[in-house]
C-alpha cells in the first residue's frame, strides 16, 4: 500500500476529484480532506518539535492523538446525504471522547449507550434523554432503574428473562426487539452474543404482550465493520417479518433500528442498498434510526508514537539486517484495536532525524532517495511478547531512538479499550483541530 503524505500532495487532490460524485454540501469547505491532512500534519509536527527526549520530564514524549473534528462533521453531512431517512444514534463505546460527543450533540445526533457511565456522559452534555437508546439487550438491574429515573426510555431486549426484568424495573420502557443477523462478513461478529432468532421472536412478543410491555420497534446489527451490503437487505426483510408478527399480536411498531457496522470506505454502497431496502419494506410512517460507531470517528484520529528503543537483528543465514523498533504505545494501549478489532494500523514516518531524506518531513518514505528498503518489526512498550504492532514493515528511511511514527485511522475502538498494563498510561493527550468552519463554529474553536 502506498504511504500517504501528511502534507497534501497532488495525489490527495486527484483522489479527491475521483471521489467527486460526493459533492460537498454548502456548509462544507471545498477541499476538506486535503485541508484536513495538511492541518493534522502541522499539528503533529508542532507537538513533536516541542519535545526533546533528551531533557523532557517522564511521559512528555508519550504518544498523542491529533483529532480533526472537521472530519466528523464531514462524515455527518455525508450520512445525511446518503442515508437521510436514518437518524444516527452514535455508539458511544466506539470512542467516548468528550469533544466528539460534544460535536455530535451539537449536530443533533442521538446516542447509543450501553452502561450507566455512557448514559451519564451524554446526559451531562444536556442531551434530552429521548435522544438516547440503551442498546444493550442484557442490562444490569441497577442501570435499568437508573435509566428509568433519568427518563432514558428506549432500550433493546432479545430474551425472555430480560422481559421479566424490565417488567419489574421499568414497565413502561419503550422496547426494541433485537434480532439476529447474518454477520459472517463483518470484522467483529455480534450475533454470537446478541439477537433473537426469527424462531423465537413470536414467543418473545407474546410474552411482552402478556406482561403488557410497550414494544415499539425492532433493532438489528449486521456486525461491526460489515462488508456485505446483502446483510443489510436480509436484516431489513427479517425486521419486516417481525413488524408483521407484532402487528398480529396487536402491536403497532413505530421504529426500526438498523444498528451500526458502517465503514467509511464502503459507506456509500451500503447506504444505497439499505435505502432501497428500507423504502421497499417500510412505509415513510415508520421512523428509522441507526447506531453508527466507527463510521463517525475512525478517520478523524491520527496517533503519533515515539521510538523509545531499537534492536538490530542480524540474520547470518540470509545475510540481511533488520531492526526491531519499540514504540511508547502498543496493543495494551491505543493499539488495542489490533487485538479487539482485528485492525492492521499502517506505520508512517513523522520524524526521522538521521535520515538524509527528511527531518520533520512527512513526505512518503518510499520516495526517500536511493536508499534500499529496510525491514522493521514494530513493538509496544510492555514486557509482553504479544505486544506487537507490526511483524513486518519496510521503509527506506533509517529510523532510530527519538524518531516518531504516526498512524492514521485510529479513532475507532482504540483508546476506549486501552489498559494500564505494566504501568503505562491508558490516557493520552489529544490535540483537537477542525478543518471545517461548521465544526469550529459548533465547538467554539
Ligand atoms: C458496537 C455497537 C454499535 C456500533 O457499531 P459500529 O460497527 O462501530 O458502527 C452499534 N450498536 C450496538 C448495539 C453495538 O453493540
Amino acid at each position: 500500500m502506498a504511504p500517504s503524505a501528511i502534507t497534501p500532495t497532488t495525489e490527495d487532490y486527484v483522489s479527491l476529484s475521483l471521489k467527486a460524485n460526493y459533492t460537498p454540501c454548502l456548509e462544507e469547505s471545498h477541499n476538506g480532506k486535503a485541508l484536513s491532512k495538511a492541518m493534522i500534519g502541522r499539528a503533529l509536527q508542532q507537538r513533536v518539535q516541542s519535545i526533546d527526549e533528551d531533557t523532557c520530564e517522564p511521559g512528555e514524549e508519550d504518544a498523542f492523538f491529533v483529532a480533526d473534528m472537521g472530519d466528523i462533521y464531514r462524515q455527518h453531512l455525508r450520512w445525511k446525504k446518503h442515508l437521510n431517512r436514518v437518524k444516527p444514534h452514535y455508539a458511544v463505546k466506539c470512542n467516548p471522547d468528550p469533544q466528539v460527543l460534544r460535536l455530535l450533540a451539537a449536530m443533533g445526533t442521538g446516542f447509543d449507550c450501553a452502561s450507566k457511565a455512557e448514559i451519564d456522559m451524554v446526559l451531562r452534555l444536556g442531551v434530552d434523554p429521548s435522544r438516547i437508546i440503551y442498546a444493550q439487550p442484557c442490562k444490569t438491574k441497577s442501570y435499568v432503574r437508573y435509566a428509568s429515573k433519568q427518563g432514558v426510555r428506549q432500550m433493546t431486549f432479545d430474551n425472555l428473562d430480560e422481559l421479566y426484568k424490565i417488567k419489574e424495573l421499568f414497565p413502561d420502557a419503550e422496547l426494541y426487539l433485537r434480532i439476529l443477523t447474518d454477520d459472517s462478513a463483518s470484522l467483529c461478529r455480534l450475533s454470537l452474543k446478541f439477537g433473537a432468532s426469527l424462531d423465537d421472536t413470536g414467543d418473545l412478543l407474546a410474552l411482552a404482550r402478556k406482561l403488557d410491555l410497550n414494544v415499539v420497534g425492532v433493532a438489528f446489527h449486521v456486525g461491526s465493520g460489515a462488508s456485505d451490503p446483502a446483510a443489510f437487505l436480509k436484516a431489513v426483510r427479517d425486521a419486516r417479518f417481525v413488524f408483521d408478527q407484532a402487528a398480529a399480536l396487536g402491536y403497532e411498531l413505530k421504529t426500526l433500528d438498523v444498528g451500526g457496522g458502517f465503514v467509511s470506505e464502503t459507506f456509500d454502497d451500503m447506504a444505497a442498498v439499505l435505502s432501497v431496502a428500507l423504502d421497499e419494506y417500510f412505509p415513510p410512517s415508520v421512523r428509522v434510526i441507526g447506531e453508527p460507531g466507527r463510521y463517525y470517528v475512525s478517520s478523524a484520529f491520527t496517533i503519533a508514537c515515539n521510538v523509545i528503543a531499537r534492536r538490530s537483528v542480524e540474520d547470518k543465514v540470509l545475510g540481511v539486517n533488520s531492526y526491531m523498533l519499540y514504540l511508547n504505545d502498543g496493543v495494551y494501549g491505543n493499539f488495542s484495536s489490533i487485538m479487539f478489532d482485528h485492525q492492521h494500523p499502517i506505520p508512517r514516518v513523522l520524524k526521522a532525524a538521521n535520515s538524509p531524506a527528511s527531518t520533520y518531513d512527512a513526505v512518503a518514505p518510499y520516495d526517500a532517495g536511493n536508499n534500499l528498503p529496510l525491514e522493521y518489526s514494530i513493538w509496544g512498550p510492555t514486557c509482553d511478547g504479544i505486544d506487537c504492532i507490526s511483524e513486518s514493515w519496510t521503509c527506506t528511511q533509517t529510523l532510530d531512538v527519538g524518531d516518531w511514527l504516526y498512524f492514521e485511522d485510529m479513532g475507532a475502538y482504540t483508546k476506549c479499550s486501552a489498559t494500564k498494563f505494566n504501568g503505562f498510561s491508558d490516557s493520552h493527550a489529544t490535540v483537537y483541530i477542525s478543518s471545517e468552519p461548521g465544526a469550529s463554529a459548533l465547538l467554539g474553536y
Side-chain angles (χ1 to χ4, degrees):
M1 196 176 301
S4 79
I6 267 230
T7 32
T9 61
T10 337
E11 246 175 56
D12 290 317
Y13 289 108
V14 170
S15 74
L16 263 176
S17 59
L18 284 178
K19 288 178 190 149
N21 58 341
Y22 163 43
T23 348
C25 302
L26 279 181
E27 310 89 336
E28 188 184 356
S29 68
H30 216 58
N31 49 1
K33 196 70 197 172
L35 179 64
S36 172
K37 286 221 171 204
M39 291 181 69
I40 292 169
R42 216 176 304 138
L44 287 169
Q45 290 171 13
Q46 244 172 32
R47 186 172 172 104
V48 161
Q49 280 171 25
S50 73
I51 298 166
D52 180 352
E53 298 82 19
D54 294 324
T55 56
C56 72
E57 293 297 319
E60 277 180 17
E61 75 286 66
D62 273 357
F64 65 93
F65 285 101
V66 173
D68 179 12
M69 297 293 110
D71 200 79
I72 291 167
Y73 186 85
R74 276 192 299 278
Q75 288 294 79
H76 184 59
L77 295 183
R78 188 177 165 204
W79 179 284
K80 288 209 288 195
K81 179 175 156 67
H82 291 269
L83 214 44
N84 196 34
R85 192 173 166 190
V86 183
K87 181 153 170 62
H89 286 55
Y90 173 67
V92 174
K93 77 165 184 285
C94 180
N95 185 340
D97 179 284
Q99 295 295 314
V100 170
L101 299 182
R102 206 157 74 82
L103 176 61
L104 291 170
M107 291 192 300
T109 72
F111 294 89
D112 154 8
C113 300
S115 64
K116 173 185 182 288
E118 288 186 355
I119 290 172
D120 275 344
M121 258 185 275
V122 173
L123 288 177
R124 253 185 269 123
L125 293 167
V127 170
D128 193 89
S130 65
R131 281 163 67 186
I132 297 175
I133 180 165
Y134 186 177
Q136 157 62 290
C138 299
K139 293 171 281 300
T140 308
K141 284 179 82 173
S142 62
Y143 293 3
V144 178
R145 285 194 297 273
Y146 187 74
S148 165
K149 201 168 119 218
Q150 298 296 326
V152 175
R153 307 174 64 84
Q154 303 180 90
M155 52 186 65
T156 57
F157 74 99
D158 66 2
N159 65 80
L160 296 166
D161 301 83
E162 194 75 3
L163 284 176
Y164 289 110
K165 184 195 290 172
I166 292 166
K167 175 70 184 172
E168 177 198 340
L169 303 170
F170 195 176
D172 53 355
E174 296 166 3
L175 302 179
Y176 291 72
L177 173 47
R178 166 110 169 239
I179 57 171
L180 267 179
T181 60
D182 176 5
D183 58 359
S184 53
S186 70
L187 219 48
C188 303
R189 305 185 68 171
L190 303 170
S191 285
L192 299 169
K193 186 169 176 185
F194 296 121
S197 101
L198 294 191
D199 296 335
D200 298 328
T201 50
D203 289 347
L204 285 163
L205 290 166
L207 178 64
R209 184 87 267 184
K210 197 174 123 208
L211 297 176
D212 198 24
L213 292 171
N214 182 21
V215 180
V216 299
V218 172
F220 62 74
H221 195 303
V222 295
S224 194
S227 65
D228 182 9
F232 272 111
L233 178 59
K234 174 156 191 325
V236 168
R237 239 189 260 138
D238 289 350
R240 178 73 254 172
F241 172 80
V242 179
F243 263 65
D244 295 339
Q245 231 179 7
L249 284 162
Y251 281 118
E252 197 197 334
L253 303 191
K254 300 244 167 7
T255 307
L256 172 65
D257 176 356
V258 300
F262 305 92
V263 179
S264 188
E265 288 77 3
T266 55
F267 174 73
D268 299 5
D269 295 339
M270 289 282 186
V273 172
L274 177 57
S275 296
V276 171
L278 288 173
D279 289 344
E280 184 172 344
Y281 290 98
F282 289 92
S285 57
V286 173
R287 186 176 79 113
V288 186
I289 65 174
E291 301 165 353
R294 89 171 65 237
Y295 165 82
Y296 268 92
V297 289
S298 180
S299 56
F301 285 70
T302 299
I303 194 167
C305 307
N306 187 238
V307 178
I308 53 171
R310 184 182 82 169
R311 182 196 304 269
S312 306
V313 184
E314 210 184 323
D315 189 323
K316 293 206 172 84
V317 181
L318 295 172
V320 287
N321 294 329
S322 65
Y323 293 110
M324 296 169 75
L325 294 182
Y326 297 78
L327 306 186
N328 55 356
D329 203 349
V331 303
Y332 284 96
N334 294 307
F335 292 83
S336 58
S337 54
I338 292 171
M339 304 299 283
F340 298 136
D341 197 31
H342 315 282
Q343 294 296 314
H344 307 281
I346 301 165
R348 304 179 198 282
V349 179
L350 177 60
K351 176 192 167 189
N354 294 328
S355 168
S358 78
T359 304
Y360 303 122
D361 179 6
V363 170
Y366 289 113
D367 298 330
N370 298 322
N371 291 353
L372 289 172
L374 293 168
E375 175 80 19
Y376 294 94
S377 57
I378 300 177
W379 303 81
T382 69
C383 295
D384 188 350
I386 67 161
D387 192 0
C388 179
I389 295 173
S390 176
E391 282 174 26
S392 171
W393 175 59
T394 49
C395 173
T396 50
Q397 281 163 288
T398 307
L399 298 166
D400 206 343
V401 174
D403 290 344
W404 287 81
L405 297 180
Y406 71 97
F407 301 76
E408 296 176 327
D409 300 322
M410 287 292 286
Y413 304 111
T414 49
K415 58 179 175 156
C416 56
S417 41
T419 74
K420 290 190 176 83
F421 179 57
N422 239 186
F424 292 98
S425 173
D426 65 340
S427 66
H428 290 83
T430 302
V431 179
Y432 297 95
I433 61 166
S434 167
S435 61
E436 293 291 339
S440 315
L442 288 172
L443 290 164
Y445 284 5

